[in-house]
Amino acid sequence: MKRMQSKEDIIKDQYMKTLTCFLQDSTLYDSLSINNQVTVIDQSFSLFDVFNVFIETHIDEVLFWNPDVAYYDGVFTQTDLIRIILKCYQNILNGVPNVWGNSKIQVQPIMEEEDEDRNTPVNEKQLIGQEQINKLLIDLRTISVRDWFNSYGESLHQSSLVQADMADNLNDAMKKILKQGVTRIVVIDTESRIIVGILQQRDILAFLVKGFSQYFHLQLSQKSQRVEVPQEKNPQSEQHELEISYFSDRILQLNEKLPCDTNVYDVFYKLIYVYKRNAIPIVDHNNKYLGLIDRRDFLFILKYQVYDMLNRPAIDLLNFIKIEKRKFAGFCICNKELFHMKQTLKEVSANSNQVVENLLLSSRGSLVCLNENQEPIATLQMSDLFKICLDDIELE
């Protein structure tokens, strides 16, 4: 005997069917925004020059240009940037050359790519002095991107360059993103085959926020037979009624957090290699929430060249970030950090709290759910919501 569907199940089924049609009727070109510019750098750029591009332009990735084939040759992201600095920092502390040099003597990298079982990547007794910082800066200014990757035997294709035609529908693009486990897709012009933009999950969610509600109501008005649901509320708002708690089984599994005395090196190491998250909540010794540290916050270390921050406690970086961000007038407007399980994916009321829109407005691209004791019990980031919204799309 089949289990009777709940109201939430019926709403979700109707929502997913309409969402699939919406994605099939929309192209990648439709969802490209004016901010989807492409930044391209040459492989001969020094690491320092590449980092400055990220700092000055506030971008999430750049494309490498390969002059040998006169085409793009991989994506370099903020994650790659952090990996390089962590390796350079550890190598400097241990007196290991950051590149093999002309002698071609192999130097085993101190930090392996996927060493997830390692608990303490940095010896807390080690400190980086001014002399070591100067050596680090010299290396960053003199080592080219090509030399770095060649030295460690890594390919410039380490970040998959997943491509799609701008005339392709969004449904097919989502299949590529979900199947290949990437967060962005490179959009190619149909005729010239030139890259016209990089489409991220944030761009797709923003497009859904702008266009899906109108599409949903249009589809409802065109159907002669509608799904019967209890009529306590206006049926036109049904797709907005689905509370985030409906997905709590998955969301409450995302409850990683770190104590405030964790050193900053370990915070970023665990973000990338262990948790594979964009942001992590920091708690005090009573497990109360203090704030978020995001991968983008690493740029503050690079901008002000405070490399000794990597061996200081997380609370120091958190306070440093708060002081710097208060200098920007718009920070308080976009400082969305919290959500609760009673919020819906999207609501009609102008005064309502909308998870999707708050996540898009968040300066960290992540939200935290707290219990009554101000303890973090779950985090929600762009890729989590992306998977929730598109969870039932057929991938075959």
Side-chain angles (χ1 to χ4, degrees), residues 286-298:
N286 296 317
N287 202 35
K288 288 191 176 181
Y289 177 69
L290 296 175
L292 275 174
I293 289 183
D294 183 81
R295 294 189 188 192
R296 294 185 183 91
D297 296 330
F298 202 89

Side-chain angles (χ1 to χ4, degrees), residues 2-18:
K2 287 187 177 180
R3 178 181 66 86
M4 183 177 294
Q5 279 191 309
S6 66
K7 176 183 177 180
E8 289 79 9
D9 291 335
I10 294 173
I11 292 173
K12 185 183 178 184
D13 288 345
Q14 186 178 16
Y15 172 86
M16 293 310 304
K17 290 176 182 177
T18 313

Side-chain angles (χ1 to χ4, degrees), residues 89 127-129 133 264 301 305-313:
Y89 179 86
L127 295 174
I128 187 166
I133 290 178
V264 174
I301 296 175
Q305 298 182 19
V306 286
Y307 297 104
D308 62 319
M309 182 70 74
L310 289 170
N311 206 48
R312 288 161 63 180

Side-chain angles (χ1 to χ4, degrees), residues 12-271:
K12 185 183 178 184
D13 288 345
Q14 186 178 16
Y15 172 86
M16 293 310 304
K17 290 176 182 177
T18 313
L19 177 59
T20 301
C21 293
F22 176 69
L23 293 173
Q24 290 173 341
D25 288 346
S26 305
T27 67
L28 271 65
Y29 179 80
D30 296 330
S31 55
L32 279 174
S33 71
I34 58 173
N35 296 320
N36 286 120
Q37 74 274 14
V38 178
T39 302
V40 182
I41 61 173
D42 191 273
Q43 298 171 17
S44 63
F45 275 35
S46 72
L47 296 175
F48 191 84
D49 290 336
V50 176
F51 299 159
N52 277 337
V53 171
F54 279 85
I55 293 170
E56 294 171 2
T57 59
H58 307 287
I59 56 175
D60 294 323
E61 70 280 301
V62 297
L63 292 179
F64 284 124
W65 179 259
N66 188 339
D68 297 332
V69 296
Y71 201 68
Y72 306 100
D73 193 25
V75 182
F76 187 89
T77 68
Q78 287 182 339
T79 299
D80 299 311
L81 178 153
I82 297 172
R83 285 173 176 164
I84 287 177
I85 291 294
L86 293 183
K87 282 187 178 181
C88 285
Y89 179 86
Q90 182 70 299
N91 287 345
I92 290 290
L93 283 178
N94 290 275
V96 177
N98 275 317
V99 293
W100 297 349
N102 296 328
S103 61
K104 302 299 182 182
I105 299 174
Q106 288 194 358
V107 177
Q108 180 66 27
I110 298 299
M111 184 175 65
E112 299 296 336
E113 280 296 309
E114 298 294 340
D115 188 5
E116 297 186 6
D117 297 327
R118 191 170 181 170
N119 293 322
T120 309
V122 167
N123 186 335
E124 294 183 4
K125 294 182 180 179
Q126 291 178 298
L127 295 174
I128 187 166
Q130 189 58 48
E131 183 178 347
Q132 291 168 308
I133 290 178
N134 291 340
K135 174 67 169 63
L136 178 61
L137 289 173
I138 290 172
D139 282 353
L140 295 181
R141 291 179 184 276
T142 56
I143 299 172
S144 71
V145 170
R146 181 188 290 108
D147 289 342
W148 173 267
F149 284 104
N150 288 342
S151 179
Y152 283 87
E154 298 174 1
S155 170
L156 287 173
H157 295 281
Q158 81 284 4
S159 295
S160 181
L161 194 63
V162 180
Q163 302 181 17
D165 194 288
M166 68 177 184
D168 291 348
N169 67 63
L170 271 177
N171 195 61
D172 292 339
M174 297 309 94
K175 292 178 184 179
K176 284 188 178 182
I177 289 177
L178 294 174
K179 279 186 175 181
Q180 301 196 34
V182 296
T183 61
R184 58 182 56 80
I185 193 164
V186 177
V187 184
I188 309 295
D189 179 71
T190 308
E191 296 181 358
S192 66
R193 311 311 298 166
I194 294 175
I195 293 178
V196 295
I198 297 177
L199 196 63
Q200 299 185 11
Q201 292 178 347
R202 175 188 291 270
D203 303 313
I204 296 167
L205 287 175
F207 178 69
L208 291 178
V209 167
K210 289 186 292 184
F212 180 63
S213 294
Q214 182 179 0
Y215 184 91
F216 185 90
H217 292 315
L218 180 62
Q219 292 293 308
L220 281 181
S221 65
Q222 292 177 348
K223 290 181 180 179
S224 56
Q225 296 181 346
R226 300 181 180 180
V227 177
E228 293 295 330
V229 295
Q231 296 296 318
E232 291 91 350
K233 297 183 180 180
N234 185 345
Q236 287 190 337
S237 66
E238 287 164 4
Q239 92 277 19
H240 302 289
E241 295 177 7
L242 208 57
E243 292 181 353
I244 200 71
S245 59
Y246 181 75
F247 309 96
S248 61
D249 289 345
R250 277 168 285 177
I251 294 174
L252 290 176
Q253 296 173 4
L254 309 172
N255 59 353
E256 297 94 351
K257 53 198 169 188
L258 289 172
C260 59
D261 56 359
T262 306
N263 75 37
V264 174
Y265 184 106
D266 284 354
V267 171
F268 288 105
Y269 180 91
K270 290 177 179 178
L271 270 179

Side-chain angles (χ1 to χ4, degrees), residues 377-391:
I377 57 174
T379 58
L380 184 67
Q381 64 185 36
M382 208 71 65
S383 58
D384 304 323
L385 193 57
F386 189 81
K387 291 175 183 176
I388 287 173
C389 290
L390 306 175
D391 187 44

